[in-house]
Amino acid sequence: KQWYQRRVAITAGHVVMFSSEHDFRPDSRQYLWLEKDLKSVDRNKHPWVVVTSHRPLYTSQEQNGDHIVGLHMKLALEELFYNYQVNLHMAGHLHSYERTCPVVAGDCVAPGHGTVYVINGAAGKFLDAQNYDQYSW
């Protein structure tokens, strides 16, 4: 499958993987599936919700193409993550490590009130050597 979910009982978390390489726009089959899945999470049993994808929503690396993909992902998915209180989004694609503060609409917010975005693409290839832009997140 291109997208799937797992409830992880030992960590009290719900982990869902969506494909950043397939249509994720609102009203797409994948988006509707993701929304239904996030809506179904019992936060009493699974207080942590982790969403993963290959590509990141947020990156500060100076890679124009990846910023464009991230912008489309933010426009399509960030409100969904906020509405269903996604705690953490993990991505790879870029061969580096980055972590944001809890973010809503590009702004840092208090812990527990936004999604933390992590890129951990440090395995299997050399690290990227691009410059980084400065953002508040």
Side-chain angles (χ1 to χ4, degrees):
K1 290 184 178 181
Q2 301 299 329
W3 50 85
Y4 55 91
Q5 59 82 13
R6 295 285 183 262
R7 285 189 168 82
V8 185
I10 58 170
T11 61
H14 179 86
V15 180
V16 58
M17 173 72 178
F18 78 91
S19 173
S20 56
E21 312 308 303
H22 294 83
D23 191 359
F24 50 76
R25 294 172 295 180
D27 296 325
S28 69
R29 202 174 96 209
Q30 180 177 209
Y31 181 97
L32 295 173
W33 169 85
L34 180 59
E35 182 175 38
K36 181 179 177 184
D37 181 75
L38 292 173
K39 190 177 201 174
S40 74
V41 177
D42 180 346
R43 296 305 286 258
N44 291 315
K45 292 181 183 176
H46 305 285
W48 278 87
V49 174
V50 179
V51 175
T52 68
S53 64
H54 176 69
R55 292 179 187 263
L57 279 75
Y58 281 88
T59 179
S60 62
Q61 282 194 28
E62 292 179 353
Q63 292 190 9
N64 201 27
D66 290 318
H67 278 284
I68 292 168
V69 172
L71 177 62
H72 287 286
M73 291 174 70
K74 283 185 262 190
L75 290 171
L77 299 167
E78 193 168 29
E79 186 175 344
L80 183 71
F81 290 2
Y82 177 77
N83 289 341
Y84 293 103
Q85 302 172 340
V86 171
N87 302 95
L88 176 66
H89 176 263
M90 297 186 71
H93 184 65
L94 302 170
H95 296 271
S96 63
Y97 173 81
E98 291 186 76
R99 182 190 71 229
T100 69
C101 57
V103 174
V104 174
D107 294 319
C108 290
V109 296
H113 296 279
T115 303
V116 173
Y117 295 87
V118 173
I119 299 171
N120 188 4
K125 190 180 174 191
F126 58 87
L127 296 177
D128 291 336
Q130 287 83 354
N131 292 324
Y132 290 82
D133 293 320
Q134 297 296 314
Y135 293 97
S136 62
W137 38 263

